[in-house]
Structure formats: C-alpha cells, structure tokens
Amino acid sequence: MHPKNTTGYDPAQLPPLRKLEFGSLDMVGEHLFCIREGQSVVDGLALAAELADGVHQLGNRLAAEINNGEIAYLSEMRSLAFLAEVAGAITRAAQYSLKTGGAE
C-alpha cells in the first residue's frame, strides 16, 4: 500500500511569527510592547483566540453589570482594549508572516 497524500500544512512548514510592535500610549509615539519574531504561528494564534474569548466574556459581564446599574470604571474599559490590542497584534504578526512566507 502507498501512503495517502495530504494537502494540509505540516506545522514544521509554517513560517514563524513576524516581529510587530504595538501599545503606543498616544497612538503615534513609541511602542511599549513587541511580538517577538520567531515564535510559532500556531501557538500565537491559539493565544490570540484565548485572549479574544476573554475580551468577549469580560465585555459581556461588564455590559450586564452596567445594565444592572453598576458603575463601569475606565480601567476596566482600558483593560479590555489592551487585551483586544494584544490579540490583534498577534493575529497581524501571523498574517504578515503567512502572507510573506516568513521573509522580511
């Protein structure tokens, strides 16, 4: 018997994450954080998915609390925004890496 041909990606063939800086306090200045180049795309996307799920859960809980007359604090909203920014940065780093095949 011959082994069955596969058309899926072998994780060893996937390029690593590209470096991506993010987290500017004033949206135009220096960035505070950086996705390091060379990390696994699969692991990065798994982390981004977990963070996105957390943003969704926390956002829903915060909305329910506000709906019940509770106070929302700026730090809670900024925390959600930061988690969303991290998930987006990881996803973008993976997108750029896959689009270019890992080449600079």
Side-chain angles (χ1 to χ4, degrees):
M1 274 199 196
H2 296 285
K4 184 177 179 182
N5 289 337
T6 61
T7 57
Y9 281 108
D10 178 2
Q13 295 174 334
L14 292 174
L17 287 175
R18 293 277 303 272
K19 179 180 177 181
L20 183 73
E21 296 178 346
F22 67 99
S24 173
L25 291 175
D26 60 5
M27 306 287 251
V28 293
E30 300 237 354
H31 296 97
L32 295 173
F33 303 100
C34 179
I35 304 297
R36 288 188 321 191
E37 188 167 358
Q39 302 300 306
S40 164
V41 168
V42 173
D43 292 344
L45 290 173
L47 177 59
E50 290 290 329
L51 291 171
D53 286 346
V55 168
H56 176 77
Q57 291 172 7
L58 291 170
N60 280 343
R61 186 180 347 217
L62 187 57
E65 292 294 323
I66 292 170
N67 196 41
N68 288 332
E70 298 294 325
I71 295 173
Y73 295 97
L74 178 60
S75 60
E76 294 170 319
M77 297 307 297
R78 288 186 62 125
S79 296
L80 286 175
F82 176 72
L83 290 173
E85 184 177 16
V86 172
I90 295 170
T91 304
R92 289 279 182 225
Q95 177 191 16
Y96 297 154
S97 179
L98 292 171
K99 192 175 194 178
T100 62
E104 282 292 322

